[in-house]
Amino acid sequence: MLADLERGTERLAVWLAALGALIIVVQMVWISYGVFVRYVLGSPDGTVTEATAMLLFPAAFMGLAFALKENAYPKVSFLMEALGPRSRRALEAFNLMLMVVVGMFFSIAAARATYRAFDSGSASEILLWPRYLFWAPGTLALVVFTLYAGVRFLSVISNASESSSKH
């Protein structure tokens, strides 16, 4: 059950990272278009700055779970190598627990912001796009990251209890 949940959240992590990459490609094309019309055509596009700024929030969080899946967060590796297997697992569990707590905080804050943007009907100043559309993907990414960190935490804890019961 836990392994299935872990595989499912890993699959979600990959899809969210791909969506984040797509957002970055859209930003790149839009910024390039903005530079072209400003300097070649001499007619600046007023939407480029706001659109790319609004897309920064979802793009910033789409790869969180994927980075955890790929073990791509910075670590002090010499400390991990100096520890024994039990201590290494305990430190990994503590690190994942911190990720869950911080992820929950940011997930709740982002969900509240998404709800408030939806409830108020606020829109971007120039594009007049609903703000909740920019908050929702980032909120989803934060919730998936928190869920995945929690699943990984449970996996580390269950593996630690299984290995200690065998000794």
Coordinates of all heavy atoms in Angstrom, one line a residue, residues 15-29 55 59 62:
W15 N 5.0 14.6 -13.5 CA 4.1 15.4 -14.3 C 4.1 16.8 -13.9 O 4.0 17.7 -14.8 CB 2.6 14.8 -14.2 CG 2.4 13.6 -15.0 CD1 2.5 12.3 -14.7 CD2 2.2 13.6 -16.4 NE1 2.3 11.5 -15.7 CE2 2.1 12.3 -16.9 CE3 2.1 14.6 -17.4 CZ2 1.9 11.9 -18.2 CZ3 1.9 14.2 -18.7 CH2 1.8 12.9 -19.1
L16 N 4.2 17.1 -12.6 CA 4.3 18.5 -12.2 C 5.6 19.2 -12.6 O 5.6 20.3 -13.0 CB 4.1 18.6 -10.6 CG 2.7 18.4 -10.1 CD1 2.7 18.3 -8.6 CD2 1.8 19.4 -10.6
A17 N 6.7 18.4 -12.6 CA 7.9 19.0 -13.1 C 7.9 19.3 -14.6 O 8.4 20.3 -15.0 CB 9.1 18.0 -12.8
A18 N 7.2 18.4 -15.3 CA 7.0 18.6 -16.7 C 6.2 19.9 -17.0 O 6.5 20.7 -17.9 CB 6.4 17.4 -17.4
L19 N 5.1 20.0 -16.2 CA 4.3 21.2 -16.3 C 5.1 22.5 -15.9 O 5.0 23.5 -16.6 CB 3.1 21.1 -15.4 CG 2.1 22.3 -15.4 CD1 1.5 22.4 -16.8 CD2 0.9 22.0 -14.5
G20 N 5.9 22.4 -14.9 CA 6.8 23.5 -14.6 C 7.8 23.9 -15.7 O 8.0 25.0 -16.0
A21 N 8.3 22.8 -16.4 CA 9.2 23.1 -17.5 C 8.4 23.7 -18.6 O 9.0 24.7 -19.3 CB 9.8 21.7 -18.0
L22 N 7.2 23.3 -18.8 CA 6.4 23.9 -19.9 C 6.1 25.4 -19.6 O 6.2 26.3 -20.5 CB 5.1 23.2 -20.0 CG 4.1 23.7 -21.1 CD1 4.7 23.6 -22.5 CD2 2.8 23.0 -21.0
I23 N 5.9 25.7 -18.3 CA 5.7 27.1 -17.9 C 6.9 27.9 -18.2 O 6.8 29.1 -18.7 CB 5.3 27.2 -16.4 CG1 3.8 26.7 -16.2 CG2 5.4 28.6 -15.9 CD1 3.4 26.5 -14.8
I24 N 8.1 27.4 -17.9 CA 9.3 28.1 -18.2 C 9.5 28.3 -19.7 O 10.0 29.4 -20.1 CB 10.5 27.3 -17.5 CG1 10.4 27.4 -16.0 CG2 11.8 27.9 -18.0 CD1 11.3 26.6 -15.2
V25 N 9.2 27.3 -20.5 CA 9.2 27.5 -21.9 C 8.3 28.6 -22.4 O 8.7 29.5 -23.2 CB 8.9 26.2 -22.7 CG1 8.8 26.4 -24.2 CG2 10.1 25.2 -22.4
V26 N 7.1 28.7 -21.8 CA 6.1 29.7 -22.2 C 6.7 31.1 -21.8 O 6.7 32.1 -22.6 CB 4.8 29.5 -21.5 CG1 3.9 30.7 -21.6 CG2 4.1 28.3 -22.1
Q27 N 7.3 31.2 -20.6 CA 7.9 32.4 -20.1 C 9.1 32.8 -21.1 O 9.2 34.0 -21.5 CB 8.5 32.3 -18.7 CG 7.4 32.3 -17.7 CD 8.1 32.1 -16.3 OE1 8.8 31.1 -16.1 NE2 7.8 33.0 -15.4
M28 N 9.9 31.9 -21.5 CA 11.0 32.1 -22.3 C 10.6 32.7 -23.7 O 11.1 33.7 -24.2 CB 11.8 30.9 -22.5 CG 13.0 31.0 -23.5 SD 13.8 29.5 -23.9 CE 12.5 28.7 -24.9
V29 N 9.5 32.1 -24.3 CA 9.0 32.5 -25.5 C 8.4 33.9 -25.4 O 8.6 34.8 -26.2 CB 8.0 31.5 -26.1 CG1 7.2 32.1 -27.3 CG2 8.7 30.2 -26.5
L55 N 3.7 34.1 -13.6 CA 4.0 32.7 -13.9 C 5.2 32.2 -13.0 O 5.5 31.0 -13.0 CB 4.3 32.4 -15.4 CG 3.1 32.5 -16.3 CD1 3.6 32.5 -17.7 CD2 2.1 31.4 -16.0
A59 N 5.8 28.2 -11.4 CA 7.1 27.6 -11.9 C 8.0 27.3 -10.8 O 8.8 26.3 -10.8 CB 7.7 28.5 -12.9
M62 N 6.8 23.8 -8.9 CA 6.4 22.6 -9.7 C 7.5 21.5 -9.5 O 7.1 20.4 -9.7 CB 6.2 23.0 -11.1 CG 5.0 23.8 -11.4 SD 3.5 22.8 -10.9 CE 2.3 23.7 -11.7

